[in-house]
Structures are given as C-alpha cells and as structure tokens.
Amino acid sequence: MELLSLGIKSVFIENMVFAYFLGMCSFLAVSKKVSTAVGLGAAVVFVLGITVPTNWLLQEYILKEGALSWMGAQFAGVDLSFLQFIMFIAIIAAMVQLVEMVIEKVSPALYGTLGIFLPLIAVNCAILGSSLFMVQRDYTVAEATVFGVGSGMGFAMAIIALAAIREKLKYSNVPDGLKGLGLTMLITGLMGIAFKSFIGIAI
Amino acid sequence: MSAEVETLEQPQELVIDKPSEPLFSKRRKKFVTDPLNDDNPITVQVLGICSALAVTVKMEPTLIMSIAVIFVIVFANLIISLLRNLVPNRVRIIVQLAVIATLVTLVSEVLKAYYYPMYKILGAFVGLIITNCIVMGRLEAFAMGNKPWDSILDGLGSGMGYAWIILTVAFFRELLGSGSVFDFKVFEAVGLANFPTNALFVDSIGAFVILGILIWVQRSKTGYVEH
C-alpha cells in the first residue's frame, strides 16, 4: 500500500517536470509531435526503471560509508561517496548503451522507434536526478524501483500531453516573439497549475 | 648563393613578423558577447533549462549556482580543448562526461567543506550540473574544434549568458514570492509591510511563467522568430 502511494506520488504530485524541472531540455525539444513524444516517454520509463535500482545497489554496497564491510573488516571505514557523481553517470551511460544493444538485437521494430532517443537519455537530467533523489530520501530497493518507474511515467505523461497541445497550437496566431519556446514555457506553467490540484491525494 | 639564402629565409621571417592575434581581438570578444544576448544558451538555444529553474527561488543559491556553472564550463572547455586531438571520436562523450563529472565533484566537495548550509539547499542540483546541456553542448560544439584560449572565452560567454538569465528569473521570483532580494525585506523597508506575496512564484509555476515572459520580451527586442 505504501508502495502504491509512493507510485502515485511520483507520477502526479511530485512530477519530475512540473515540480522539479528535471528533463526540461528534452521535454521542450522533443515535444513537437505526439508520436516522437511517446517514443521518448517509453524510453525514459524503461531506462529509469533499470538505472534507479542499479544505482541503489551501487550506493548501498559500494559507495556508502561502511558499505564495503562485506569485503572484510578492514574495509568497514571506507567512504567512497565522493565518487557518487562519476559512478552514477557511468552506470547510466553504460546502461543506456546496453539497453540500446539489447533492444536492437531483440526487437528491431522497437529500436526503430526508440533508437534515436536512447543516446539523448544519457544526458537527460531526469535520469541522474532520480538517482540522486533516491539517495537523498533513503529509499529501500523496492521503493527505489517504484520511484524510478513512477517518475518515468510522470515524465512520459507530461511530454505526451504537451506534445498534443503543441500540435493544436500550430494553427493559432501567436505573437512573433512568443512563438516556440516562450509560449511553451507559459503552457508548461499552466499545466503545472493543473498538476497542483493533485496535492493532498493519498491512498 | 646570396639569392638562395634570401629565398630560404624569407618565409621564416614572414612567419615571425606576422603579428599574433591580440588576446582580446574583435573575433574573440564575440565569443563572450554573443551568448549574452543574440545567442543566449537559455532563451535562444534552449539549453540548460532544468537547473535554471530549480534553484531560482532565492537570489543567493542562484548566485552560487551561476558561479559553479561558470567554473565548470570554463574549465571543462579548457581541458577538452587541450585533449581534443588525443580523444578518439567514438569515446568522446564518455571522456566529456568524465571531465565534467570530475569538475562537478570538485565544486560539490568545496561547497560541502566551506559553505555547508548552501550545499544542503542546492542538494541534488549541484550534481545535476553534470547533465546540464549547456556544458555538454559547448564541449561538443566548440571545445572539440578550437584552441584553448578561444574555448575559455567561449565558456565564459556561455556561462555568463546562463547566469544573467537565471539571476533575472530569481530576482522576480524572490521579490514577488517572498518579498525580498538577497533575503533583504524590500517591501518592509519601504513601509509596505502588508504587501501581499504570491506563493505561486515560490512554486515551480512562477518560474515557468517568468521565463516565458522574459523570452518573449527578449525575442521581441532582438527580432528572433522561431519557426
């Protein structure tokens, strides 16, 4: 039950995009068409669901202070947490590469849709951000997995919704200076207000 | 004999006599001034928006963040520019990420040691400089193909372009959301203690709206139209 609550929270209330501004770059750049937005959204859910638990294992058994005690008593005092950023980004880059290769082998059709987005994801701040939040909030491994998938779904939902709105906006008459990024920012703000209405929902 | 010597020496003299480009020539000044307005990383190139919005609730963390980003981008540009002929093309992304991650770790450790309260406030967002697309973008687009000094200037320009935008956003968010600037209560000081503050600007929504309006104003001035 608590896991379900955490999932709802990470999809709606603490949405990656609207509450923490994570993944904004690809959110703005890849939201011109619904079909590409769906592809990127799916790729983000996939990668987040894998990297957050992986980074949890890394943090718990290698990086944290005293985490190396499983190797023997003399390692009990080792604190490698200053290596956190480098290790996390390396894991994410490696995982993205791995996922790309597996998809290419297993499902060429899916690779055709996701392919171009996968390299982009390595530098998507939503991915690294989720891992860092996971450490900050002391999640267990189950919570970390739910949180990873949930925030990925939140991101996917936001980008698909924005893409749908932007497709309609093509037919509107917008002041020149506001075209493109300016208007997209204002719409994101309005969508953020809508998402605020989820605050207080608890299961 | 003498003629032969002359022809041999002439090219050499030409090279020596050719004045080296001044440290701040016109071409180089453009590296710094262009990203401030016409080619701004945030409002025109749409890069680095994530961290731009997350830390701008108050002026002080924004200032620290700007300094951190300028430091990282300048030194990452310098290092990658020095390494540019040694790095094979296939592994360049990993090399770039490693350089950036090292610099960010440095910033984070310094902040943790000397300014712990700010380290707590910025939290995960210092780490997120790694995935700030401005840094990656400049490394990829500029430092991989240019000399070190040019790259430093380019990094400085992009960093400053980023800094002034987020400082402007932070100024309005703090003024309207908390009624203060650098934690100095402006409205109380001018005798408007009851001036209503708007919680929407403390929230993420205010950041989106202010940045949207800022982009609108700037693009109307420069005449840039997106299609």
Side-chain angles (χ1 to χ4, degrees):
Chain A
M1 216 57 202
E2 254 173 36
L3 286 181
L4 188 63
S5 176
L6 177 69
I8 300 279
K9 202 169 113 188
S10 50
V11 177
F12 293 104
I13 303 167
E14 296 187 345
N15 188 286
M16 274 288 145
V17 175
F18 299 120
Y20 296 110
F21 314 97
L22 294 180
M24 283 303 289
C25 303
S26 36
F27 178 75
L28 296 172
V30 196
S31 61
K32 287 188 179 119
K33 273 174 68 189
V34 173
S35 53
T36 48
V38 171
L40 182 71
V44 167
V45 175
F46 205 66
V47 173
L48 264 178
I50 295 174
T51 53
V52 175
T54 315
N55 280 339
W56 185 88
L57 291 176
L58 191 74
Q59 171 75 15
E60 203 68 9
Y61 292 109
I62 295 178
L63 294 177
K64 221 162 79 173
E65 193 176 355
L68 282 174
S69 51
W70 56 270
M71 280 172 69
Q74 72 268 38
F75 292 103
V78 181
D79 180 8
L80 291 178
S81 52
F82 67 95
L83 287 176
Q84 199 187 46
F85 296 147
I86 296 183
M87 292 301 280
F88 279 9
I89 199 75
I91 287 283
I92 290 169
M95 275 295 157
V96 168
Q97 196 77 48
L98 204 70
V99 166
E100 194 179 351
M101 289 190 307
V102 169
I103 294 182
E104 193 178 7
K105 198 84 189 162
V106 175
S107 160
L110 185 63
Y111 182 75
T113 359
L114 294 188
I116 42 165
F117 300 114
L118 285 170
L120 262 182
I121 287 177
V123 287
N124 186 331
C125 21
I127 313 284
L128 182 63
S130 303
S131 289
L132 294 177
F133 281 144
M134 173 267 297
V135 172
Q136 230 174 26
R137 296 176 190 167
D138 284 330
Y139 286 142
T140 64
V141 68
E143 283 173 337
T145 315
V146 171
F147 173 70
V149 175
S151 28
M153 280 162 63
F155 178 85
M157 192 173 62
I159 194 171
I160 294 167
L162 182 70
I165 296 176
R166 282 181 81 175
E167 273 191 3
K168 293 280 175 212
L169 277 177
K170 260 185 238 154
Y171 308 108
S172 336
N173 193 7
V174 179
D176 273 351
L178 200 54
K179 265 182 195 156
L181 183 61
L183 189 59
T184 313
M185 289 312 291
L186 293 181
I187 292 168
T188 314
L190 293 177
M191 286 168 77
I193 296 179
F195 268 73
K196 279 285 159 251
S197 58
F198 289 114
I199 285 182
I201 291 180
I203 296 174
Chain B
M1 184 72 188
S2 62
E4 213 183 324
V5 171
E6 261 175 43
T7 47
L8 271 176
E9 277 180 355
Q10 235 168 6
Q12 265 186 341
E13 272 172 19
L14 268 180
V15 172
I16 294 163
D17 281 348
K18 191 182 156 202
S20 65
E21 202 181 350
L23 227 46
F24 292 99
S25 65
K26 220 172 192 174
R27 183 180 70 92
R28 285 179 169 156
K29 261 189 199 143
K30 268 183 86 67
F31 291 144
V32 181
T33 53
D34 259 7
L36 292 185
N37 210 1
D38 292 337
D39 202 16
N40 191 284
I42 296 184
T43 59
V44 177
Q45 301 175 32
V46 203
L47 295 175
I49 302 215
C50 337
S51 61
L53 299 177
V55 296
T56 52
V57 177
K58 290 267 173 75
M59 288 291 274
E60 205 186 343
T62 313
L63 190 65
I64 301 289
M65 187 72 178
S66 311
I67 295 169
V69 168
I70 292 176
F71 169 82
V72 170
I73 195 171
V74 166
F75 280 92
N77 253 1
L78 171 66
I79 293 169
I80 289 294
S81 175
L82 289 171
L83 291 176
R84 71 185 188 280
N85 294 326
L86 301 172
V87 180
N89 212 26
R90 295 196 61 147
V91 296
R92 66 182 196 286
I93 303 271
I94 303 278
V95 174
Q96 289 166 2
L97 276 178
V99 169
I100 300 170
T102 313
L103 287 167
V104 171
T105 308
L106 216 64
V107 169
S108 156
E109 294 292 313
V110 167
L111 214 55
K112 207 195 277 181
Y114 293 105
Y115 204 0
Y116 194 70
M118 193 49 69
Y119 175 79
K120 274 277 162 223
I121 294 174
L122 288 175
F125 290 103
V126 177
L128 287 173
I129 299 176
I130 297 173
T131 49
N132 190 321
C133 352
I134 299 178
V135 183
M136 279 295 273
R138 287 334 287 169
L139 293 186
E140 188 71 10
F142 198 91
M144 284 302 285
N146 285 282
K147 291 193 175 135
W149 176 242
D150 289 357
S151 302
I152 292 179
L153 291 179
D154 179 78
L156 201 62
S158 294
M160 307 266 263
Y162 170 85
W164 88 259
I165 293 280
I166 66 170
L167 282 170
T168 314
V169 173
F171 174 77
F172 285 111
R173 277 184 82 182
E174 193 178 348
L175 186 70
L176 299 172
S178 317
S180 57
V181 172
F182 280 111
D183 283 329
F184 172 74
K185 296 277 179 202
V186 179
F187 291 120
E188 277 176 25
V190 295
L192 288 168
N194 292 329
F195 191 87
T197 54
N198 190 341
L200 216 55
F201 286 95
V202 178
D203 213 282
S204 51
I205 298 154
F208 288 124
V209 173
I210 290 175
L211 188 59
I213 294 172
L214 196 65
I215 289 166
W216 189 4
V217 171
Q218 202 201 16
R219 286 188 177 178
S220 307
K221 274 194 163 168
T222 55
Y224 177 87
V225 181
E226 198 177 307
H227 290 291

